Amino acid sequence: MAGGDLQASDALVAVPLAATVALAVALVVVTGLWLRERRAARRYRALFETPRPQVPVHVPPTPATVRRQRAAVVVNLSKFSDLDPAAQLRRQAYVDAAFRQHGWEEPLWLRTTPTEHGAEQAREALAAGVDVVVACGGDGTVRSVAEALAGTGVPMGVLPAGTANLLARNLDLPHTDLARALDVVFSAPDQPVDVGWLEVDRTGADPVPERHLFLVMAGLGFDAAVMAGVEDRLKRRLGYGAYVVSGARALWGPQARAGVRVDDGPWHQVRTRGVIVGNCGKLTRNLVLMPDAEIDDGYLDAVVLSPRGGIGWGEVAWAILTRDRRGQRRVQHLRGRTVEVRLEAPQEVELDGDPIGAARRVSVAVDPGVLLVRAHPWPRTARR
């Protein structure tokens, strides 16, 4: 009898110990990735802290009768709030010089505001007849500009200046080197990519649901709670580390009862911590949530996360780190052109890393090839 009690006691100790180890491993991996991204961000900021040399680009003579191309730059200056005004002017002068030396006119600069996040500025640029609209900011700015450009045939360039820079990572765009990012704007072809549309029904019975465009991922539950819990102060100070802190806070929340349907298939009832629908699947260079997702394949990929306790989160972390495509009881993979989720209770929702509040029902659909992005061909997922 004593031996049986001892075995039971060992088991009770082993479960929380395993959960703690799994969580520790996950935090170590994420922290390592954060440190790497923070070093890269410092190199990017250094571009603006000292005067840059003249852009060394040879421009062949252009006949005076040929119309020079012109770009608009939609810039979110809040992403450069840590720079003094002189550094911001040097940044703009460097970009202006790059356009001139490539034979373009000086760009039209349009600043976002707290109430106009990029779509309105992009529409102003379209009215001015520019040849390309360049989004200079974080994923929110890029998404807003894309919403105005989708279906117009006018391409979008990207000068990444955010914390996550999710679209830039998925398209293999330079996000720590301004000169290389500008070179993509000048030399890369226009690539047609898909966009996702998210309809948000906040009460479950809204007569007219909200409609939002996204480029990378839309999610509800755990990942949206993480985004909503990130403090701007920590984000400016820690970069990716702010998401680690917020993730640790949100890790132990309850599961939600939800119904999930793909295309016109049957409803599946699940208990989940989060549902994430992806137009593409990369979170960082080495962290891929949806290994088979491609931004131009006309499909959406989705994962349903259903961990229970520390061991469950360890299984989720292992599935993500190993890029497991088969799915398992804690991580289910789905694929289709539409995904619907309805919940018993409201859950937080996010778009490309930006929280947009809670909802009880969401519908996601893909709109294939309607956005042109200035980008070189990016590495494709090697499917198993």
Side-chain angles (χ1 to χ4, degrees):
M1 191 67 177
D5 292 341
L6 183 58
Q7 291 177 353
S9 176
D10 289 344
L12 290 174
V13 173
V15 171
L17 179 61
T20 302
V21 170
L23 178 59
V25 170
L27 288 175
V28 167
V29 171
V30 174
T31 301
L33 293 171
W34 163 61
L35 289 173
R36 179 183 300 175
E37 298 298 332
R38 193 177 185 190
R39 287 193 295 269
R42 286 175 176 170
R43 292 194 298 270
Y44 181 69
R45 294 293 181 184
L47 289 170
F48 306 133
E49 293 173 356
T50 58
R52 297 281 293 176
Q54 193 174 27
V55 185
V57 178
H58 170 70
V59 181
T62 303
T65 57
V66 177
R67 186 185 74 86
R68 292 191 296 168
Q69 297 185 84
R70 192 183 191 196
V73 180
V74 178
V75 59
N76 182 354
L77 288 179
S78 71
K79 298 300 179 180
F80 305 98
S81 59
D82 58 333
L83 301 180
D84 60 46
Q88 292 186 14
L89 289 174
R90 286 197 298 270
R91 174 186 55 80
Q92 181 170 336
Y94 176 73
V95 173
D96 287 343
F99 276 95
R100 289 195 305 271
Q101 294 193 29
H102 278 83
W104 292 52
E105 292 185 22
E106 284 193 7
L108 171 65
W109 288 86
L110 301 168
R111 298 180 179 182
T112 65
T113 71
T115 58
E116 296 181 346
H117 303 145
E120 295 81 2
Q121 289 80 2
R123 294 188 187 101
E124 182 179 343
L126 291 174
V130 300
D131 300 282
V132 61
V133 180
V134 180
C136 181
D139 288 304
T141 305
V142 173
R143 185 182 71 250
S144 294
V145 170
E147 187 163 342
L149 296 183
T152 66
V154 175
M156 178 178 71
V158 181
L159 298 180
T163 303
N165 300 314
L166 292 173
L167 182 68
R169 295 175 193 279
N170 279 275
L171 297 186
D172 205 29
L173 297 173
H175 60 275
T176 60
D177 188 322
L178 178 61
R180 289 180 57 219
L182 281 168
D183 184 64
V184 171
V185 173
F186 299 129
S187 64
D190 297 330
Q191 306 281 0
V193 302
D194 308 337
V195 302
W197 288 99
L198 175 74
E199 287 193 352
V200 180
D201 185 341
R202 299 197 179 276
T203 67
D206 292 351
V208 182
E210 300 171 21
R211 194 165 185 257
H212 303 273
L213 177 144
F214 69 95
L215 295 172
V216 181
M217 297 178 196
L220 58 87
F222 170 74
D223 76 305
V226 171
M227 303 306 174
V230 173
E231 301 176 14
D232 289 339
R233 175 181 56 83
L234 285 178
K235 195 173 178 180
R236 288 192 296 268
R237 182 177 178 183
L238 301 179
Y240 250 103
Y243 295 100
V244 177
V245 173
S246 182
R249 293 171 180 167
L251 204 58
W252 306 111
Q255 290 187 331
R257 295 180 182 271
V260 181
R261 181 168 71 171
V262 177
D263 295 333
D264 294 322
W267 286 94
H268 297 281
Q269 301 303 313
V270 298
R271 294 180 66 92
T272 179
R273 285 299 317 281
V275 179
I276 306 171
V277 181
N279 191 31
C280 41
K282 187 185 295 184
L283 298 175
T284 70
R285 181 180 181 85
N286 298 308
L287 192 61
V288 181
L289 182 62
M290 303 171 204
D292 287 336
E294 296 285 0
I295 198 170
D296 59 355
D297 62 359
Y299 284 90
L300 297 168
D301 288 74
V303 292
V304 180
L305 306 178
S306 303
R308 295 185 64 183
I311 293 178
W313 277 116
E315 292 179 80
V316 170
W318 180 255
I320 294 173
L321 292 173
T322 59
R323 303 189 183 184
D324 176 33
R325 290 170 166 83
R326 296 168 299 175
Q328 37 108 328
R329 59 177 181 162
R330 305 303 183 195
V331 183
Q332 301 177 53
H333 289 269
L334 307 172
R335 183 173 172 82
R337 298 184 187 276
T338 63
V339 179
E340 297 177 72
V341 183
R342 58 189 182 191
L343 300 144
E344 287 189 358
Q347 294 285 314
E348 291 287 340
V349 180
E350 61 88 8
L351 291 168
D352 291 348
D354 289 335
I356 61 170
R360 292 191 63 178
R361 188 165 184 161
V362 298
S363 300
V364 191
V366 66
D367 200 355
V370 297
L371 177 68
L372 295 177
V373 178
R374 194 65 59 88
H376 293 295
W378 53 89
R380 297 292 172 170
T381 302
R383 299 180 184 271
R384 294 178 188 172

